[in-house]
Amino acid sequence: QQRSGLRRGGGAFNKRAIEPRLISYVKPRRKRYRGEVADMDVEETTEMTKVEINLKTLLLRVGDGREDLHKHVSMLANVLEEDLSTHSAFINGMLLDCVKNLSNKTPVYGCLAALVGVRKPEFAKALVDALCLDLKEEIVRGRIHGFHVRNMVRFTCSLVNVGMVSAPGLFATLKGLLDYAAKSPSPRKDHTIYTVVASLLWLDKAVLEDEATGGAAAVAALLATASDLAEVPPEVLVRLAPPEAKA
């Protein structure tokens, strides 16, 4: 029971057991036997520097606990800004890993990316480029039904809210996903439609009311296309749409 990561008596999993997908930069562990030293820091430093281990921990834990969220995110933004010159690739990769797997923190990571991107435009460009590349690779590999694609599209909506991604660019991407759904068999088609419609929930009211980008009209067109593809009445899909789009 102790070796499996469970406390005696049915306790909670240890920290390592609940983060398997996020530790993509750590060499896989072999099974330990009695008498071996179980020092996670010693093993991790073979692939990661101590700075990277600290950055990974901060990115995973941001928004947790009862700390003031604004203060917590601002402090982490300052830390990331200082380390971008030497660990930019690691920060971008780890941030995207968090986005893919921790969907409940999507707005937090969107705000964090915006705070760093305002002062470091090259970081914003590199992050958006990596996001688009990862999203394209997932779709090409036929993984549209996976939660990684859904979480990345959701994160893109958060980046639109903070001004890092243009609204017309997002709407074109969502339209492209619906075109992909039209050529796909079920259930891939249904998953793609759900990904598009559910992502609209993450758009800010200001984005939808922006006449320059035609947010309301674009959302209405997306819902109409999704309704035709899903072969269900529009009001069924409208239940998943933002209140502003229902009008």
Side-chain angles (χ1 to χ4, degrees), residues 69-147:
L69 182 57
H70 182 272
K71 181 179 179 181
H72 198 179
V73 174
S74 298
M75 291 177 61
L76 179 54
N78 293 332
V79 173
L80 296 182
E81 184 179 355
E82 293 177 0
D83 292 327
L84 274 176
S85 59
T86 54
H87 298 85
S88 59
F90 177 84
I91 291 173
N92 279 336
M94 195 64 218
L95 181 56
L96 286 180
D97 278 351
C98 293
V99 166
K100 294 175 186 177
N101 293 278
L102 301 177
S103 58
N104 59 313
K105 295 185 180 182
T106 296
V108 176
Y109 291 123
C111 292
L112 177 63
L115 288 175
V116 180
V118 166
R119 292 170 289 192
K120 297 288 185 178
E122 64 278 8
F123 162 80
K125 183 179 184 304
L127 180 64
V128 174
D129 289 344
L131 175 64
C132 294
L133 181 61
D134 282 6
L135 182 60
K136 182 179 179 179
E137 288 181 351
E138 292 287 334
I139 295 174
V140 169
R141 293 177 181 177
R143 299 177 181 174
I144 189 68
H145 59 282
F147 63 90

Side-chain angles (χ1 to χ4, degrees), residues 16-99:
R16 187 186 67 183
I18 62 175
E19 297 178 359
R21 299 176 182 273
L22 296 173
I23 308 179
S24 57
Y25 298 89
V26 182
K27 184 178 181 180
R29 305 170 185 273
R30 66 179 180 85
K31 183 177 180 180
R32 292 196 186 98
Y33 297 92
R34 184 173 301 176
E36 289 187 317
V37 178
D39 188 349
M40 189 170 80
D41 290 339
V42 172
E43 293 184 8
E44 285 187 337
T45 51
T46 61
E47 295 291 335
M48 301 169 61
T49 66
K50 291 183 178 180
V51 174
E52 290 172 343
I53 294 173
N54 183 53
L55 289 171
K56 175 178 77 72
T57 302
L58 292 174
L59 284 169
L60 289 174
R61 294 181 177 177
V62 63
D64 292 344
R66 299 182 179 180
E67 298 89 348
D68 180 80
L69 182 57
H70 182 272
K71 181 179 179 181
H72 198 179
V73 174
S74 298
M75 291 177 61
L76 179 54
N78 293 332
V79 173
L80 296 182
E81 184 179 355
E82 293 177 0
D83 292 327
L84 274 176
S85 59
T86 54
H87 298 85
S88 59
F90 177 84
I91 291 173
N92 279 336
M94 195 64 218
L95 181 56
L96 286 180
D97 278 351
C98 293
V99 166

Side-chain angles (χ1 to χ4, degrees), residues 135 138-139 143-144 146-153 195:
L135 182 60
E138 292 287 334
I139 295 174
R143 299 177 181 174
I144 189 68
F147 63 90
H148 282 179
V149 171
R150 185 166 64 250
N151 291 345
M152 284 190 285
V153 174
T195 296

